[in-house]
Amino acid sequence: MAKERPAPTYYSTARLEAYTDGVFAIAATLLVLDLTTAALGQIQTDAELWAALARMWPSFMSFGVSFALLSGLWFIHLGQFRGIARVDVTLVWLNAARLLFVVLIPFTTSLVSDYSTFYAGRMLLPINFFFAALFGHLSWRWAAARHGHLLTPDAAADIPTEGAGGLAAVICGAIAAVASPWLGSWGFCAYFLNGPLTALLRRRAMRRAAAGAS
């Protein structure tokens, strides 16, 4: 007599969302530490203070880019969990892998401003963002596997299009990582392609779904 397969164990979606939101919030807050720990030197006049702040422009730029992209990753997470009805252990660990790279973002951001003359200083931040986006997309792909076994009914019906934003972020992250040794922080301009690429991937998925239904 064949043994019955044990029923899968599911966990609270709300708890995982709260934990993820907290990690994103802490990572975004820690980004500013690189600015607050910067030494301005001896300041005696307003002109010297403005000059010292102007010399910090690489740090301000790194902070702004990282904060904007981190907010973009959180926005993708927000959209994903809108369609996730339940969480299993695999999704928990895929999400944990994403958060591993999220909490590293303040550290790799500091490398850009302090060691931008070295390849590693320019490459580690875009590589960091790439893996954070990749594990975010893999989380969605797992939730959507087996005809959407972890999704709400509405999200399961839109599987071909709902993952387009996460996949676009992965592609843009890969382009930024490849371009960063030569372009430095300008390689992050690849993320400007995220919106058009998401729209393109959604249209392609809709055409394929329509062709399969006909």
Side-chain angles (χ1 to χ4, degrees):
M1 183 175 180
K3 292 183 179 179
E4 292 186 4
R5 180 176 298 178
T9 301
Y10 296 114
Y11 302 94
S12 170
T13 304
R15 293 289 299 276
L16 186 63
E17 285 186 88
Y19 174 62
T20 304
D21 289 343
V23 172
F24 269 96
I26 292 171
T29 303
L30 290 178
L31 283 174
V32 79
L33 290 182
D34 192 42
L35 300 178
T36 59
T37 58
L40 297 179
Q42 293 292 329
I43 303 296
Q44 296 180 346
T45 66
D46 283 334
E48 290 178 350
L49 177 58
W50 285 116
L53 291 173
R55 289 193 296 270
M56 288 178 59
W57 73 265
S59 297
F60 284 116
M61 182 177 178
S62 298
F63 168 79
V65 169
S66 292
F67 188 86
L69 294 181
L70 188 61
S71 298
L73 289 177
W74 177 80
F75 187 75
I76 292 173
H77 150 74
L78 188 67
Q80 289 175 344
F81 273 82
R82 184 179 56 191
I84 294 178
R86 52 191 176 272
V87 174
D88 65 0
V89 66
T90 302
L91 184 57
V92 168
W93 283 109
L94 284 171
N95 190 67
R98 164 170 46 186
L99 297 182
L100 169 66
F101 290 99
V102 166
V103 297
L104 280 173
I105 287 173
F107 170 67
T108 51
T109 299
S110 68
L111 294 179
V112 174
S113 55
D114 294 337
Y115 301 101
S116 60
T117 55
F118 301 101
Y119 281 122
R122 298 194 296 269
M123 292 178 63
L124 288 179
L125 180 60
I127 290 174
N128 194 162
F129 272 110
F130 168 76
F131 279 107
L134 176 63
F135 278 103
H137 182 61
L138 291 177
S139 298
W140 169 257
R141 295 311 307 169
W142 173 251
R146 289 181 276 171
H147 306 290
H149 69 300
L150 299 179
L151 302 181
T152 64
D154 290 341
D158 294 328
I159 286 175
T161 59
E162 285 297 317
L167 180 58
V170 173
I171 295 172
C172 291
I175 295 172
V178 171
S180 61
W182 297 277
L183 300 180
S185 295
W186 293 106
F188 286 108
C189 290
Y191 282 94
F192 285 117
L193 301 174
N194 190 76
L197 185 56
T198 298
L200 177 64
L201 291 172
R202 282 178 176 164
R203 286 198 299 269
R204 182 182 178 188
M206 292 173 64
R207 286 198 300 267
R208 293 177 63 182
S214 61

